[in-house]
Amino acid sequence: MAIRQNGNGHGRLHVTETPDVSHIRNIDVTHEASDVSVVGIATFVGGLTILCGLVFVLMWGMFRFLNAQETEKEPQAGPMAMTEQERLPPAPRLQAAKGFGVKLENGESVNLELREPEAEYRLLREQWAQRLNCKSGDGVVTTNCVPIDVAIEKLIQSGVPVRSEKSWGSADAPAPTAWSSGRVAGEGRQKQ
């Protein structure tokens, strides 16, 4: 079979011919059932995974051993050496600085070294909310305390105290001037 193509770039036709190979027979070569051995690939991947895990464990053990040897070689700190806590600057410290933290009302210290700047404010708000609801840090209701919601309800039921008109000042009292800073004659000092 001859196929004519015009593609050599010189304007000439190119002729290709496919030879007939149907008469060639090789009895020793049979048809392959598969091009790839799945069992062989799975065995290789499994062996490689086991080998990688073994190398990881051995390297981890070696590094632990070497670190332990280095730790033994380090000299002990002298008796006059400052501890980590003594090396910190005096309080108050900058937020997010090493050693920054707060002490809660219950005596518990909270480390805020690497926390966001709002962390201290959130702790304060939690403390206030616990105090208003008469709860301790672990959620237990404290004794001799009235929660804010209950106190508001009792105040509303008993009636809210109101000032009398006399306590607000009478109508014949002189008005404060710009020079009096809001004070009215007779308040605080007696007239002479």
Side-chain angles (χ1 to χ4, degrees):
M1 165 192 257
I3 300 173
R4 295 183 177 264
Q5 293 179 345
N6 186 5
N8 59 6
H10 298 292
R12 289 186 237 145
L13 294 176
H14 179 72
V15 177
T16 59
E17 222 175 280
T18 306
D20 183 23
V21 291
S22 61
H23 64 281
I24 300 175
R25 302 262 186 245
N26 189 347
I27 301 171
D28 295 334
V29 177
T30 59
H31 174 62
E32 294 183 26
S34 173
D35 292 339
V36 178
S37 172
V38 176
V39 174
I41 291 176
T43 304
F44 172 75
V45 169
L48 186 63
T49 303
I50 291 171
L51 183 64
C52 286
L54 181 65
V55 168
F56 173 76
V57 169
L58 289 175
M59 292 298 288
W60 177 74
M62 183 180 75
F63 276 111
R64 283 187 54 121
F65 173 73
L66 293 174
N67 278 337
Q69 279 187 335
E70 269 314 297
T71 305
E72 291 173 3
K73 289 180 184 177
E74 289 181 11
Q76 295 295 325
M80 296 298 289
M82 290 193 298
T83 64
E84 186 71 28
Q85 190 66 24
E86 292 171 336
R87 282 190 223 132
L88 295 174
R93 297 182 183 99
L94 294 174
Q95 284 184 332
K98 189 169 187 167
F100 176 71
V102 293
K103 189 171 244 183
L104 302 178
E105 290 177 348
N106 61 2
E108 177 187 352
S109 292
V110 178
N111 186 1
L112 299 173
E113 262 181 43
L114 300 175
R115 303 260 313 264
E116 67 281 356
E118 299 86 25
E120 184 179 15
Y121 178 68
R122 283 196 207 116
L123 279 173
L124 181 64
R125 295 289 294 192
E126 287 174 15
Q127 272 189 319
W128 289 347
Q130 288 172 359
R131 189 182 305 161
L132 285 175
N133 295 320
C134 298
K135 292 183 181 175
S136 62
D138 52 0
V140 178
V141 177
T142 57
T143 58
N144 299 331
C145 181
V146 178
I148 189 72
D149 298 335
V150 176
I152 290 172
E153 288 297 323
K154 284 183 181 180
L155 183 64
I156 291 172
Q157 289 173 359
S158 66
V160 180
V162 179
R163 290 187 189 176
S164 67
E165 258 189 59
K166 288 186 178 184
S167 65
W168 286 96
S170 60
D172 57 335
T177 64
W179 300 103
S180 68
S181 301
R183 292 179 296 212
V184 179
E187 285 185 7
R189 283 195 284 171
Q190 295 178 355
K191 292 184 182 179
Q192 295 179 358

